[in-house]
Amino acid sequence: MKKYFFVLMVFVLVMSLGGCKQDDKQGSDMTTEVTTETSTEEASSEEEKLVEVYLKDVYGSHNIKVGTCLSPQMVDDPELSKLITEQFNSVTMENAMKPDYIFNKEKSIEAGDLVVEFNSDAIKMLDFAKANNLAVRGHTLVWYSQTPDWIFYEDFDTSKDFVSRDVMLARMESFIRQVFEKLDEMGYLDLFYAYDVVNEAWMEDGSMRSNNWSTIIGEDYLWYSFYFANKYAPESVDLYYNDYNEQFKAGALVRFVETLVDEDGNYLIDGIGLQAHLYTFDNVFSYFKAVDKLAGTGLKIEVTELDVSLGSWQNTLDATDENLKAQGKFYYDLIKGFIDRVDAGTINMDAITFWGFEDSLSWRSEASPLLFDKDSNPKYAYYGAAQVKELSGYE
C-alpha cells in the first residue's frame, strides 16, 4: 500500500532535563524543523516520538521552494498527485513546455511566422498547478535538443534552405514574445517565478555547442535569447541559463554570463540553473567548489533537475541496502551544503527542484536516483533530502 503521510518512529534518549543528546545539537542550524507528538508510553529510558516530515516545510524554513518535474501521468494518478501536493510547492513541466511541444506547424505555415500553441497536456498540468497553489519553473525556450528542425527553414519546409540570420532572429523574438503573452492571456503567467531561457549551450571543454541556432544566427544567438526574454517577461519571472555537468563548466559559464548585459551594463539574466544530475561516487566537496564559483557572479543559483544515481556514469550500481545508504548520505550532505550557504548568505538560492520523486518514473530509473522507491515508499534518500540525518544512512 502506498503511503504519503510520512510518520517516522524515532527513538531518542530522554535526558534528565528533557533535552536532546549532545550529538543531536551538532549542526543545529541545519536540523529539520518538525512537528512532534510524544507517546504516553515509555520503555525504560527511551521515549517514542512521532515525527512528521514534509520537504516543503523543511525547505520553506530556509525560504527555499522545493519542486519536482511534472508529467500527465503524475497528475492523472490520485496517489501520485497527492504526494506532490503534500511534499512540493513548485513544479517544472518534464516535457510539455519544451520547443517540440509548443509550436503548431500547420498554423505557422499559414501565418508565415512561428505560432505558439500549448497542448492539452501543458494546460492540464498548469491547471493542476493553479488549483494546488504550486509555483512553476518554465522549461525551456532556446535549446539545441527537442526542437523541431522545421522552424529553421524557409517556409518551414526542411527540403528548402535555412532562413537568413535576420529571419531567424525575428522568429526567435516572435516565439519568445508569444510564450509570455499566451501564458498571460490564459491566466497562468502569475504562477511562474523562473524560466529557463537557454538550455545546455556549453560543452565541458568550455566551447560553445554547435547547433542550428548558432549556425544561422551566430554565437550571439545566446545574447539575443536573453535580450528578447528580458524584453517580454515580467519582472516577477527570473530568467535562467540552465546546464548539466555544471561542475565541469563553471569557468566557462562564469565568463559566459558576464557577456549577458545590455548597453548600460545591466544583466539580462537573473540566475544560473544547476541541473545536478549527480552520482553517489561524485565528490560533494568538489561539486561545491564549482557552485561557489558560480555563486560568485552574484546571480541567483537554483538546483533545477536534481537526481543522484547509484554509482558512476560508467558503472551504475544495484539498489542494495549499502548502496541506498550511500545515496541517502550523499543527499543529506548535498542539501545540507546548499542550506548552509543559504543561511550564511553566501549563495542566493530560492528553489531546489528534484527531477521527479519516484524511481520508476525517473528518466534514469535503472540507477534508482530519486527519493522514493517504485512503490512510493521513502528511501534513505528521502530522509537525506529532508535533513533527517539519523534516517538517511548515517549510523
Side-chain angles (χ1 to χ4, degrees), residues 90-104:
S90 170
V91 291
T92 305
M93 307 307 158
E94 187 172 20
N95 286 301
M97 297 189 75
K98 291 175 179 176
D100 264 344
Y101 299 84
I102 67 170
F103 296 121
N104 186 308

Side-chain angles (χ1 to χ4, degrees), residues 8 10 17 43 73 79 82 105 109 117 160 201 214 228 249 259 319 323 360 374:
L8 315 181
V10 181
L17 296 179
Q73 177 184 359
E79 292 183 318
K82 184 173 187 288
K105 185 175 183 179
I109 293 171
E117 186 171 82
K160 297 185 178 181
S214 62
F228 294 138
K249 304 177 182 180
T259 69
N323 291 335
S360 63
K374 63 182 178 61

Side-chain angles (χ1 to χ4, degrees), residues 173-191:
E173 178 173 12
S174 176
F175 101 76
I176 291 175
R177 172 182 55 78
Q178 289 178 64
V179 165
F180 292 109
E181 286 183 351
K182 288 182 181 294
L183 289 173
D184 190 27
E185 291 168 4
M186 298 165 68
Y188 298 123
L189 191 55
D190 289 346
L191 299 175

Side-chain angles (χ1 to χ4, degrees), residues 136-296:
V136 180
R137 293 194 82 257
H139 179 73
T140 179
L141 295 175
V142 178
W143 191 18
Y144 78 94
S145 181
Q146 289 187 255
T147 299
D149 283 343
W150 56 265
I151 73 170
F152 300 101
Y153 289 84
E154 294 282 359
D155 301 321
F156 306 111
D157 184 345
T158 56
S159 69
K160 297 185 178 181
D161 294 333
F162 277 149
V163 296
S164 67
R165 167 184 163 91
D166 288 343
V167 169
M168 201 65 234
L169 281 171
R171 288 182 181 180
M172 175 191 281
E173 178 173 12
S174 176
F175 101 76
I176 291 175
R177 172 182 55 78
Q178 289 178 64
V179 165
F180 292 109
E181 286 183 351
K182 288 182 181 294
L183 289 173
D184 190 27
E185 291 168 4
M186 298 165 68
Y188 298 123
L189 191 55
D190 289 346
L191 299 175
F192 287 76
Y193 66 95
Y195 219 111
D196 293 330
V197 177
V198 176
N199 199 44
E200 303 173 353
W202 292 90
M203 305 296 287
E204 286 80 354
D205 63 3
S207 63
M208 183 182 294
R209 186 188 299 276
S210 178
N211 58 74
N212 287 340
W213 293 107
S214 62
T215 297
I216 297 171
I217 296 174
E219 293 187 355
D220 59 348
Y221 87 93
L222 294 170
W223 186 88
Y224 277 102
S225 299
F226 281 94
Y227 174 77
F228 294 138
N230 189 69
K231 182 177 180 179
Y232 295 109
E235 287 294 322
S236 57
V237 178
D238 289 332
L239 305 178
Y240 277 79
Y241 174 78
N242 190 51
D243 214 331
Y244 68 97
N245 282 354
E246 56 275 9
Q247 64 270 41
F248 306 120
K249 304 177 182 180
L253 296 184
V254 168
R255 292 188 293 272
F256 162 57
V257 298
E258 289 174 348
T259 69
L260 298 177
V261 295
D262 63 17
E263 59 273 13
D264 298 318
N266 300 313
Y267 267 131
L268 299 170
I269 184 175
D270 297 295
I272 303 170
L274 315 180
Q275 291 187 17
H277 294 300
L278 302 173
Y279 294 86
T280 54
F281 283 4
D282 288 340
N283 185 292
V284 174
F285 176 79
S286 296
Y287 182 75
F288 275 111
K289 289 178 66 176
V291 171
D292 293 338
K293 179 179 291 188
L294 293 168

Side-chain angles (χ1 to χ4, degrees), residues 70-72 75 93 95-98 101-102 117-129 183 186 188 191-192:
L70 196 63
S71 69
V75 172
M93 307 307 158
N95 286 301
M97 297 189 75
K98 291 175 179 176
Y101 299 84
I102 67 170
E117 186 171 82
F118 296 107
N119 64 28
S120 59
D121 283 343
I123 300 303
K124 175 192 294 186
M125 289 184 283
L126 288 170
D127 284 340
F128 175 81
L183 289 173
M186 298 165 68
Y188 298 123
L191 299 175
F192 287 76

